[in-house]
Amino acid sequence: MGDDWLAGEKIDVDIQQLSDFAAAIMDELNVNFTPSYEQGVFPMLQAPAPFGEGGLQEGQYFQARHEHSRLAMHQLLTEAARGLASLSIAAKTISADYLAEDALTEATNDDVLNAFRNVEGQATLDTTWQQGDNAVAPPAVDPRA
């Protein structure tokens, strides 16, 4: 079982399209979302409810509900802005990682597995794991380093 679903798969990523997506999301945040929020929605969310100051209990109840809804909308829009920024940063990071590590994608699962196997009598992680902790002595550490 394990990673059988990866066998024979070639993942093709359009690095430029991913980078363009990241830029488009950041533009949407900076050009449309943030100005609309700061100049339109935010001032409206700061306005107090025009009812509930008197002694009428129904008015006080609706004022409290209005305040609760106002704070919830503010939190939702703040999280939406953070989500857009995170999505843009994640897409840009993935794009940069693929660009920087393109040569590493040529490695097969067998290449990776063989990196942990005993090659020409050298001690590897595989032999350490099979023989216990005493198979390979840890490198000496100079405390002054």
Side-chain angles (χ1 to χ4, degrees):
M1 197 156 186
D3 292 334
D4 294 342
W5 61 275
L6 288 174
E9 285 292 321
K10 177 160 175 57
I11 301 171
D12 189 22
V13 176
D14 186 347
I15 297 168
Q16 187 57 48
Q17 188 174 11
L18 192 57
S19 182
D20 291 346
F21 173 75
I25 293 294
M26 192 55 77
D27 285 346
E28 180 65 29
L29 178 63
N30 294 330
V31 174
N32 296 320
F33 186 90
T34 301
S36 294
Y37 176 73
E38 289 174 350
Q39 297 169 9
V41 177
F42 185 71
M44 289 176 52
L45 289 177
Q46 299 304 311
F51 46 81
E53 295 298 325
L56 196 61
Q57 287 186 350
E58 289 87 354
Q60 292 171 350
Y61 171 78
F62 285 117
Q63 183 185 41
R65 297 304 307 156
H66 178 268
E67 181 66 13
H68 181 275
S69 296
R70 186 186 69 78
L71 292 173
M73 284 187 286
H74 178 69
Q75 183 177 0
L76 174 70
L77 292 171
T78 300
E79 289 175 6
R82 286 182 186 149
L84 287 171
S86 296
L87 180 61
S88 176
I89 291 168
K92 190 65 172 177
T93 301
I94 292 168
S95 165
D97 284 349
Y98 270 109
L99 185 62
E101 298 174 6
D102 199 27
L104 296 177
T105 61
E106 296 299 319
T108 65
N109 286 341
D110 288 335
D111 293 337
V112 174
L113 182 61
N114 289 336
F116 292 95
R117 301 230 178 211
N118 195 353
V119 178
E120 298 176 6
Q122 296 178 1
T124 62
L125 294 175
D126 191 43
T127 55
T128 303
W129 174 74
Q130 289 179 1
Q131 296 175 1
D133 291 338
N134 297 329
V136 177
V141 177
D142 185 359
R144 296 171 288 168

